[in-house]
Amino acid sequence: MFWITTAPGIAGALPAKKAHTLLGQDTDIIVFDAHSGFDVNAFAAVSGTLRGGGTLYLLTPPLDEWADFPDPDYRRFIPYPYQPHEVRGRFLGRFVGMLKTLTPQPPLPEVEGEQGVGGRVQQQVAVEAILQANAPVVLTADRGRGKSAALGMAASQLQVAGKRVLLTAPSRATVEGVFKHAELPPSFFAPDDLLQTLPEGDVLLVDEAAAIPVPLLLKMLEHYPRCVFSTTLHGYEGSGRGFALRFQKALDTLAPGWLAVRLQQPMRWAENDPLERFINQALLLDADLAPFTPCGGRSAAFKRLGRVGDGGGAATYRQLNRDELAHNEPLLRQLFGLLITAHYQTRPSDLRQLLDAPDISIHVLEQQGTLVAVALLSREGGLDAQLTAAIHAGTRRPHGHPVPQTLTFHAQLAGAAELICERVMRIAVHPLLQNQGLGAHLLEHLLGFAAQQGAGYLGVSYAMTPELLRFWERAGFITARIGHRKDTASGSRSVVQIRGLTTAGKQLCRLCNPPQ
């Protein structure tokens, strides 16, 4: 039995922030206390530990009141000076509505019969493929299909055969399931450490590869030709759909003999399990990219889209109303599916944040009834002079406002946090329409929106790559700060860039990039 709560006096209970320590285990009963904070990432993760025939108890305020409940989990994403009671509970309102549509069903049996046998057969096929392949293997599965166990068993058998096996993943906690099933555990390295030290190894296992940028995966493949790239297609860790589109296309060129292995049948519960289906739908774990086929192909699509201001483009811009979005499930799924495909790590908490976080705006381009580009903006800064001075001195660090705080403290620009900043949280373009000017097209609308809202500058922070740096520099952004440390998962330094909109904002840019 697993208890997820911060309530006192419950033996063995874990707070939601430690729910990841349960990965690789299973249970018949889960009690998740939403009064302690409805951490949707933890909820999705721990639900996968439940065996078929088990029960998940979700403790909530009265359903009709839950959307207005000042959830403690809001503190993770609301910026200063907002308080939890000020948050509009759009996500919870949608979640409650989906709960109310559920119809009682008899519990499904534990997976001991045909389904469990089928899952074990598929798992053994995957293990054999890893053992025998001399080319890269791409192992994909939804959560609960035994992917981590297959990696662990394969690692042990490879080492018995005298092979040196290395394991990497975005974090050590991610691979607990691998170690649980490995009698001879492989050597673990964080992605950046692996590529810096290049330890000797015959086989490299890369778990949750979708959460590692493709350029790093290709560097791994260059040094370790015998690789297994494993990822969850639909899960709380972030979807692997974008990985499937980006990475497998690169493999077709670099290693055309690569092998695809897919685990489909669940191991701990029956196929078409109602709990799995509900969680996938409620948290959009199964959101995929909307199909889109430009008439006449890619070049024709670019001609119809046109350039900004030419009056002939077919892609139309609009800002989405979040109250309406929370009640428009097809549009919400399409939006989140596009974000999932574009970013290597998009989680259920991102869904909650885009619906509920104060001062976020959502901007899209549409063509033929399909979202072809999306951007999320977060309004930051505008802090008073006293607080800004304290940030500059390093004595205050109010939650949120990452770009204004970075400029004020790290870049030592004394009044930067007094100016209003519209930060580009995410910008994504449909993969079939990338490199055709859509991102720049949408960015022009973002600049116009930010100016209308009285922002002094537009800002962005991201893991730096040459391609992204070129995109933002072409759009007129200047570099304000480059981080000193590399991120362990991406292997890249973070960069903050800004573009001034007002006189004060342009002066800020000049201070960041003074004349030589």
Side-chain angles (χ1 to χ4, degrees), residues 46 360 437 446 487 507:
V46 76
I360 280 182
L446 302 183
D487 179 78
Q507 174 62 20

Side-chain angles (χ1 to χ4, degrees), residues 20 120 169 209 265 299 305 318 334 339-340 385 427 440 468 498:
H20 66 271
R120 286 191 291 274
Q265 289 188 304
S299 60
L305 290 169
R318 66 168 167 142
Q334 194 180 150
L339 290 172
I340 284 171
I427 185 166
L468 286 175
I498 60 174

Side-chain angles (χ1 to χ4, degrees), residues 131 155-164 184 202:
L131 297 177
S156 293
Q157 294 183 43
L158 284 166
Q159 290 182 101
V160 168
K163 304 295 184 183
R164 291 166 296 185
L184 296 175
D202 299 303

Side-chain angles (χ1 to χ4, degrees), residues 143-259:
R143 61 198 185 124
R145 268 65 182 175
K147 172 179 62 64
S148 294
L151 288 181
M153 290 185 287
S156 293
Q157 294 183 43
L158 284 166
Q159 290 182 101
V160 168
K163 304 295 184 183
R164 291 166 296 185
V165 181
L166 309 177
L167 173 65
T168 189
S171 71
R172 179 63 168 73
T174 303
V175 292
E176 287 300 328
V178 178
F179 284 112
K180 179 183 176 181
H181 292 88
E183 294 181 10
L184 296 175
S187 300
F188 178 81
F189 295 85
D192 63 333
D193 188 26
L194 177 79
L195 290 173
Q196 288 173 11
T197 61
L198 296 176
E200 291 187 6
D202 299 303
V203 181
L204 173 63
L205 308 180
V206 186
D207 200 13
E208 296 308 337
I212 301 173
V214 168
L216 295 192
L217 299 178
L218 297 180
K219 288 181 181 178
M220 293 175 190
L221 179 60
E222 181 180 344
H223 194 77
Y224 303 101
R226 192 173 174 187
C227 281
V228 179
F229 299 99
S230 168
T231 202
T232 305
L233 287 178
H234 299 119
Y236 71 95
E237 309 93 333
S239 173
R241 290 299 188 183
F243 164 81
L245 286 169
R246 295 186 299 272
F247 183 60
Q248 294 181 16
K249 183 178 180 181
L251 278 182
D252 287 338
T253 301
L254 299 176
W258 67 275
L259 178 65

Side-chain angles (χ1 to χ4, degrees), residues 94-412:
R94 171 182 170 272
F95 191 85
V96 167
M98 299 181 79
L99 280 174
K100 288 182 175 180
T101 64
L102 292 177
T103 56
Q105 298 185 26
L108 293 175
E110 292 190 24
V111 185
E112 297 292 347
E114 181 180 349
Q115 294 290 349
V117 171
R120 286 191 291 274
V121 169
Q122 284 193 353
Q123 188 180 72
Q124 189 56 44
V125 169
V127 170
E128 288 299 322
I130 295 171
L131 297 177
Q132 301 299 326
N134 290 314
V137 175
V138 176
L139 175 63
T140 57
D142 286 352
R143 61 198 185 124
R145 268 65 182 175
K147 172 179 62 64
S148 294
L151 288 181
M153 290 185 287
S156 293
Q157 294 183 43
L158 284 166
Q159 290 182 101
V160 168
K163 304 295 184 183
R164 291 166 296 185
V165 181
L166 309 177
L167 173 65
T168 189
S171 71
R172 179 63 168 73
T174 303
V175 292
E176 287 300 328
V178 178
F179 284 112
K180 179 183 176 181
H181 292 88
E183 294 181 10
L184 296 175
S187 300
F188 178 81
F189 295 85
D192 63 333
D193 188 26
L194 177 79
L195 290 173
Q196 288 173 11
T197 61
L198 296 176
E200 291 187 6
D202 299 303
V203 181
L204 173 63
L205 308 180
V206 186
D207 200 13
E208 296 308 337
I212 301 173
V214 168
L216 295 192
L217 299 178
L218 297 180
K219 288 181 181 178
M220 293 175 190
L221 179 60
E222 181 180 344
H223 194 77
Y224 303 101
R226 192 173 174 187
C227 281
V228 179
F229 299 99
S230 168
T231 202
T232 305
L233 287 178
H234 299 119
Y236 71 95
E237 309 93 333
S239 173
R241 290 299 188 183
F243 164 81
L245 286 169
R246 295 186 299 272
F247 183 60
Q248 294 181 16
K249 183 178 180 181
L251 278 182
D252 287 338
T253 301
L254 299 176
W258 67 275
L259 178 65
V261 180
R262 174 80 183 274
L263 298 176
Q264 294 180 302
Q265 289 188 304
M267 296 292 290
R268 286 191 293 272
W269 54 81
E271 207 163 4
N272 300 315
D273 178 79
L275 177 61
E276 181 184 38
R277 183 168 61 249
F278 170 76
I279 291 175
N280 283 344
Q281 293 173 350
L283 304 184
L284 295 187
L285 300 183
D286 60 350
D288 284 330
L289 191 69
F292 180 76
T293 305
C295 298
R298 292 167 61 92
S299 60
F302 175 73
K303 293 176 182 177
R304 289 199 313 280
L305 290 169
R307 296 187 181 275
V308 178
D310 70 359
T316 58
Y317 161 82
R318 66 168 167 142
Q319 181 184 349
L320 298 183
N321 180 298
R322 291 195 290 169
D323 290 325
E324 296 175 2
L325 181 63
H327 293 90
N328 187 336
E329 195 66 17
L331 182 61
L332 182 61
R333 291 184 66 85
Q334 194 180 150
L335 171 72
F336 204 62
L338 183 53
L339 290 172
I340 284 171
T341 301
H343 196 268
Y344 65 88
Q345 197 168 25
T346 301
R347 298 182 175 184
S349 55
D350 295 303
L351 172 63
R352 192 177 199 188
Q353 184 176 15
L354 77 87
L355 286 176
D356 287 342
D359 295 334
I360 280 182
S361 57
I362 304 174
H363 307 259
V364 300
L365 294 178
E366 295 175 292
Q367 187 181 11
Q368 301 174 19
T370 299
L371 299 185
V372 294
V374 59
L376 308 182
L377 290 184
S378 174
R379 187 176 178 87
E380 300 173 356
L383 305 178
D384 63 57
Q386 183 177 2
L387 178 56
T388 298
I391 295 170
H392 184 253
T395 59
R396 289 286 303 276
R397 191 176 180 179
H399 193 254
H401 311 276
V403 168
Q405 290 203 72
T406 291
L407 297 178
T408 303
F409 178 69
H410 294 290
Q412 284 292 292

